[in-house]
Amino acid sequence: MNIISLEGSGAAVRWLKECITNNLVCPKRRYGLTSCQLCGKGTESRPGNVKVPFSNSIPVIDLSEAHKGDRTNTIQKIIKAAEEFGFFQVINHGVSVNEMKEAMSVFKEIFQMPEEYKKKLCTNDPSKPCKMFTSSFNYATEKVHLWRDSLRHPCYPLEQWQHLWPENPTTYRECVGNFSNEVKELGSRIMNLISEGLGLKCGYFDNDLTGSMILSVNHYPSCPEPSLTLGMSKHSDPNLITILMQDDVSGLQVLKDGKWIAVEVLPHSFVINIGYALQIISNGKLKSVEHRVVTNSSQGRTTAAFCLAPSDDCTVEPAEAITDEHNPPIFKSFKYKDFISHYFNKYGDTVVLKSFVAPKN
């Protein structure tokens, strides 16, 4: 078992304190109790000791090809990946290696800040847009604790939110602000390719449909018992697309045909996955696929997920251009804020979409 400092309030620390408080020398004994909250029971909450293989079947798409005259082929690859996997990785995407390294360094640094400073970022105040937490927003009431510490805040429109971000590290606001602009531009380019692939007009998503972007920075400490808990439980994302930057440690797994496959970390790439909102706009053509995060006993892992999403009051519905009497809308029209509220009540459960299915004539 790794030796972890008992100073602080992160996920690993809370877990060890819980074991010590209950006089449990062996962590596995703790998980046998009905009062256990860290990992719950059953395969949904525990990854177990099953080795999940890496898969080279998740498509890797070179975005530079679209700028070299092979735009149609790039679009076809993206649409096929979104239909079959709901996931793909992009390389040669236009965001520089140095920018990615600098941003990741700052993201790692914020979790290494003094505990007193990090506690100031922890808040239950729903009006605070920037907050740090362990496991989830609802640590005290959740049934299952996750092995992660997280910082979450809006990052678009930048001028609306940047002044509310952490003041330390001192480079955070400037560095992450610049990087957020780069990622937002990348997201816009990907959405334009997707809109073309769906047969929608040019610039279909250049409006309130991409009027928001949330940054979720997650740190998964090395875990003494990785078979007994998850870094993030099985879920699908609610937004349009998520643009994920990983460090060099793997942990992301995707559910494909009822089996988990591990996503390999490719240097200087972004992982893109389809969210529920895009599945709805595409009238079910593109798929939001369930995924999870596992931990390991030897290395911590840090990721930054940029969630490109509609504005709260934006209407989300199947695009008119891809629906007709032969292909009627399968989802209702709704305000995105209403969908988000329902989503977080269910936390990504697949039943989320059932409440938004259009009635059959």
Side-chain angles (χ1 to χ4, degrees), residues 104 108 246-250 265 299-302:
M104 180 55 72
K108 287 177 178 288
Q246 309 180 87
D247 62 11
D248 56 358
V249 180
S250 63
V265 176
Q299 293 176 289
R301 176 174 180 261
T302 302

Side-chain angles (χ1 to χ4, degrees), residues 7 38 88 100 111 132 141 149 227 249 312 318:
E7 296 179 0
L38 181 62
F88 54 95
M100 295 180 74
F111 292 103
M132 182 175 281
T141 58
D149 291 324
S227 67
V249 180
D312 281 352

Side-chain angles (χ1 to χ4, degrees), residues 2-3 8 28 33-34 57 61 78 85 143 149 162 229 236 263 277 289 300 309 313 336 353:
N2 292 347
I3 301 299
K28 292 183 180 180
L33 301 179
T34 57
S57 58
I61 299 173
I78 289 175
F85 288 90
K143 294 181 179 179
D149 291 324
Q162 191 175 27
T229 188
S236 291
V263 178
V289 174
D313 289 319
Y336 185 66
L353 289 184

Side-chain angles (χ1 to χ4, degrees), residues 221-248:
S222 57
C223 179
E225 294 286 350
S227 67
L228 299 179
T229 188
L230 289 166
M232 192 175 294
S233 55
K234 182 179 75 172
H235 68 287
S236 291
D237 293 349
N239 42 286
L240 287 171
I241 60 171
T242 299
I243 304 170
L244 179 72
M245 178 174 69
Q246 309 180 87
D247 62 11
D248 56 358

Side-chain angles (χ1 to χ4, degrees), residues 159-178:
E159 63 276 7
Q160 182 178 345
W161 304 112
Q162 191 175 27
H163 68 286
L164 300 173
W165 294 355
E167 296 180 0
N168 292 300
T170 55
T171 56
Y172 187 91
R173 290 182 179 179
E174 181 179 1
C175 174
V176 176
N178 292 336

